[in-house]
């Protein structure tokens, strides 16, 4: 009998290519895990009263990848049973209904992977230097700030 080594891995990817939920989920499957939890963030067609036609993402890639790896490390400290973590984020134009971000986490039981997913997306939005531009049907656009973004919160509190 051949034993395969199932060492915990982090899969971090920033890409201009369309994201694949199948590829992300398959990357975290482990024979020792009974749970794979996923979050898929997609482009919606409206924000408040404006019709959105696409999103465009920009990133400071090296720093963004480093910050995502820090999030993975933090997940492993908080939930030691987590096996594999995948965080794929799209850059460039992302049309309506396509994925902007896909996160997958495997663990022996569902609670750890579900909690890790929420922590991952919330922390990603708060700390990772990825910027989003909403493009509207009027050809206008708006750079959006994440309400969770720590440097925005710091700027607002220092302005008062």
């Amino acid at each position: 009998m051949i034993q395969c080594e199932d060492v915990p891995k982090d899969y971090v990817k920033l890409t201009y290519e369309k994201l694949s939920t199948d590829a992300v989920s398959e990357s975290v499957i482990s024979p020792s895990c009974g749970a794979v939890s996923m979050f898929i963030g997609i482009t919606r067609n409206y924000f408040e009263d404006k019709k959105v036609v696409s999103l465009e993402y920009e990133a400071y890639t090296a720093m963004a990848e480093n910050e995502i790896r820090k999030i993975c490390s933090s997940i492993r400290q908080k939930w030691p049973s987590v096996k594999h973590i995948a965080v794929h984020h799209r850059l460039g134009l992302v049309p309506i209904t396509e994925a902007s971000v896909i996160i997958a986490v495997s663990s022996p039981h569902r609670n750890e992977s579900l909690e890790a997913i929420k922590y991952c997306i919330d922390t990603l939005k708060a700390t990772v230097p990825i910027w989003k531009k909403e493009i509207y049907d009027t050809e206008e656009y708006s750079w959006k700030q994440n309400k969770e973004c720590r440097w925005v919160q710091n700027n607002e509190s220092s302005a008062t």
Side-chain angles (χ1 to χ4, degrees):
M1 180 172 141
I2 300 172
Q3 281 189 318
C4 66
E5 192 174 349
D6 194 23
V7 179
K9 293 187 178 84
D10 300 332
Y11 303 96
V12 175
K13 182 177 182 181
L14 301 178
T15 182
Y16 288 89
E17 303 298 320
K18 186 175 181 176
L19 301 179
S20 166
T21 55
D22 287 342
V24 175
S25 66
E26 289 169 12
S27 72
V28 300
I29 289 175
S30 167
S32 65
C33 293
V36 171
S37 298
M38 293 185 70
F39 171 80
I40 306 164
I42 64 169
T43 304
R44 63 179 174 263
N45 63 355
Y46 272 90
F47 179 75
E48 294 176 351
D49 61 345
K50 295 180 180 177
K51 185 173 182 184
V52 177
V53 295
S54 65
L55 298 178
E56 184 174 357
Y57 290 92
E58 291 184 7
Y60 177 13
T61 305
M63 187 177 188
E65 289 172 344
N66 187 47
E67 290 299 313
I68 293 169
R69 290 188 195 289
K70 287 180 186 176
I71 295 168
C72 293
S73 177
S74 181
I75 286 170
R76 294 188 183 290
Q77 290 176 354
K78 293 175 182 297
W79 298 279
S81 67
V82 162
K83 182 61 86 172
H84 303 306
I85 304 167
V87 180
H88 291 203
H89 203 297
R90 181 111 171 242
L91 300 176
L93 285 175
V94 182
I96 301 302
T97 71
E98 288 190 15
S100 299
V101 61
I102 303 175
I103 301 169
V105 175
S106 60
S107 63
H109 305 284
R110 70 180 175 270
N111 284 342
E112 295 87 351
S113 62
L114 288 167
E115 290 170 3
I117 286 287
K118 181 173 180 356
Y119 173 83
C120 188
I121 188 62
D122 290 347
T123 308
L124 184 147
K125 290 175 82 63
T127 65
V128 178
I130 298 174
W131 300 278
K132 176 174 74 173
K133 178 169 67 171
E134 284 184 343
I135 303 168
Y136 308 111
D137 66 342
T138 60
E139 297 183 16
E140 296 175 1
Y141 63 87
S142 174
W143 286 100
K144 305 305 282 188
Q145 295 179 356
N146 288 321
K147 64 182 177 185
E148 302 92 340
C149 183
R150 291 184 185 147
W151 58 83
V152 171
Q153 291 172 353
N154 290 341
N155 286 342
E156 289 173 356
S157 63
S158 65
T160 56

